[in-house]
Amino acid sequence: MEPISVQSLAQSGRVPSEYIQPPQNRPVRNNPPATIIPDHDVNIPVIDLFGFDPNLRDSTREEIGRAFRKWGAFHVTNHGVPVTLLDAVRRVGLAFFNDCPMPEKLRFACASGAAASEGYGSRMLVSSDQEQNDAVLDWRDYFDHHTLPLSRRNPNRWPNFPSDYRESVARYSDEMKVLAQKLLALISESLGLRASCIEDAVGEFYQNITISYYPPCPQPDLTLGLQSHSDMGAITLLIQDDVGGLQVLKNGGWVTVQPLSGAVLVLLADQTEIITNGKYRSCEHRAITNPDRARLSVATFHDPAKTVKISPASELINESSPAKYRDVVYGDYVLSWYTKGPEGKRNIDALLRQS
């Protein structure tokens, strides 16, 4: 069966019932569980990395520590990734969704019924323990690329429309890996750990790049482009276009992340929360829809191998600060995440030890 394209649904001018969120999850301002903090009151931190200047490393670490304690997310500028490459990835992604004929898109359709399989699709997350047929769906289409380790990377499985699509994604993958490594070193040091501590715990990166396309939605107050969740891996690096729509949860309210040209958004993910023993919390976030404009974002996930066991760093455990989380094999965590659905942070909260 061919996958249902949300883009084609948007053109029909209707929102099918399976995309309508339950009232408590809808992005309505007067709905307490979905309170939205006005954009002008607060926004996520912006940290200038100054090209990783070693003379500024101490102050950069301090800023990162503050941002992760308060937000679990921040923008970085002067990060070393060419802005021309960020623009190229956004451009080829948008061209695929807007200009590529549907028969060509379907050549790259995800395997039916497989969670997060590589390729083009629209159904990755489920929002509850309900049967698949009753699950609320996200208002988005996506293309997921398996990019690292290199043994997983096969550009022949990616579009070649436009002609520089594959080259742009491959270059972007390599640059994001380097940036993730540098950031994890700073995060480790900000907690007084050796620079390689978190990366050693994660092991070789399993990197996926997901280009998400959120078509205009006729009824944005009833839908979500991406339901509330925290990412399950180690660290996520994200860029978005100028439309915006990403929101992060802060003090019980949703804050819209204003697009920042040339910046990369850093999102702490669940396994790093475990490794830091909860000193830094992963970022719960979602995407809202727009009635008039399509939106594009590119998320680069850096995860452990599924055989890796994740536990709090021993250097952060003592009598006054016991381990807060049970050890978990990452593959088991992924299975739970896709079986139960994300629902905010319930999967990582299930690992909390009883005090």
Side-chain angles (χ1 to χ4, degrees):
M1 185 176 70
E2 291 185 358
I4 297 173
S5 161
V6 175
Q7 198 170 2
S8 63
L9 293 176
Q11 293 166 356
S12 73
R14 65 183 185 89
V15 175
S17 59
E18 60 265 32
Y19 291 87
I20 296 177
Q21 292 288 329
Q24 68 272 20
N25 292 346
R26 295 174 191 171
V28 181
R29 289 182 181 271
N30 61 0
N31 190 342
T35 300
I36 297 176
I37 299 174
D39 301 336
H40 62 270
D41 287 348
V42 66
N43 207 348
I44 67 167
V46 179
I47 299 178
D48 192 330
L49 296 178
F50 297 103
F52 295 93
D53 184 339
N55 295 318
L56 299 170
R57 200 168 179 89
D58 287 348
S59 60
T60 302
R61 283 193 297 250
E62 290 174 9
E63 286 191 70
I64 285 175
R66 280 196 298 271
F68 272 152
R69 283 190 293 272
K70 292 182 178 181
W71 288 87
F74 52 87
H75 273 127
V76 289
T77 59
N78 290 315
H79 41 66
V81 182
V83 174
T84 52
L85 181 57
L86 306 183
D87 291 339
V89 168
R90 282 186 286 245
R91 173 179 54 78
V92 299
L94 198 59
F96 171 76
F97 286 104
N98 279 345
D99 303 328
C100 188
M102 182 56 76
E104 180 69 11
K105 288 177 183 172
L106 292 177
R107 285 184 51 223
F108 300 97
C110 292
S112 177
S117 62
E118 185 171 34
Y120 169 69
S122 64
R123 184 173 181 145
M124 185 181 287
L125 305 178
V126 235
S127 63
S128 70
D129 289 316
Q130 296 171 310
E131 292 297 323
Q132 288 281 328
N133 290 338
D134 297 327
V136 181
L137 303 180
D138 295 328
W139 190 261
R140 74 160 183 161
D141 295 326
Y142 63 84
F143 200 107
D144 188 46
H145 313 73
H146 294 177
T147 45
L148 291 174
L150 287 175
S151 58
R152 297 170 72 234
R153 184 190 294 181
N154 181 359
N156 290 327
R157 295 177 181 158
W158 310 342
N160 53 2
F161 179 91
S163 60
D164 60 339
Y165 187 109
R166 294 172 178 176
E167 176 193 358
S168 298
V169 171
R171 284 181 54 220
Y172 189 75
S173 162
D174 296 338
E175 291 280 357
M176 288 292 111
K177 176 189 177 183
V178 171
L179 179 56
Q181 290 172 317
K182 290 179 176 179
L183 286 167
L184 287 183
L186 285 168
I187 296 167
S188 294
E189 291 175 355
S190 73
L191 288 166
L193 303 169
R194 67 187 186 281
S196 65
C197 181
I198 296 176
E199 188 178 349
D200 289 347
V202 172
E204 184 177 24
F205 284 148
Y206 275 66
Q207 183 198 68
N208 280 31
I209 296 177
T210 302
I211 302 179
S212 294
Y213 182 85
Y214 303 89
C217 181
Q219 296 173 287
D221 288 344
L222 300 180
T223 60
L224 287 173
L226 197 60
Q227 65 193 265
S228 170
H229 68 286
S230 55
D231 292 339
M232 56 186 153
I235 190 171
T236 302
L237 304 177
L238 182 139
I239 59 174
Q240 56 179 333
D241 62 14
D242 64 345
V243 176
L246 180 70
Q247 295 184 328
V248 299
L249 191 65
K250 167 74 168 170
N251 297 332
W254 290 103
V255 179
T256 300
V257 178
Q258 298 302 316
L260 186 60
S261 178
V264 175
L265 180 67
V266 181
L267 296 165
L268 195 77
D270 290 348
Q271 306 313 301
T272 302
E273 177 174 332
I274 296 170
I275 294 167
T276 67
N277 200 35
K279 294 185 183 299
Y280 296 160
R281 294 268 290 165
S282 59
C283 178
E284 186 173 343
H285 55 284
R286 70 181 187 182
I288 58 174
T289 56
N290 187 297
D292 305 310
R293 298 180 64 191
R295 171 177 174 259
L296 186 101
S297 69
V298 184
T300 307
F301 305 97
H302 297 88
D303 303 342
K306 290 185 178 179
T307 55
V308 171
K309 180 181 284 188
I310 299 294
S311 58
S314 59
E315 299 92 328
L316 298 176
I317 305 303
N318 53 51
E319 285 188 15
S320 61
S321 180
K324 292 181 179 179
Y325 303 89
R326 299 192 306 275
D327 298 355
V328 65
V329 175
Y330 185 60
D332 294 340
Y333 192 86
V334 172
L335 181 62
S336 170
W337 202 89
Y338 278 110
T339 302
K340 297 178 181 177
E343 296 246 338
K345 295 187 61 166
R346 71 171 175 181
N347 288 292
I348 189 168
D349 289 344
L351 295 176
L352 287 167
R353 293 177 180 270
Q354 300 298 319
S355 56

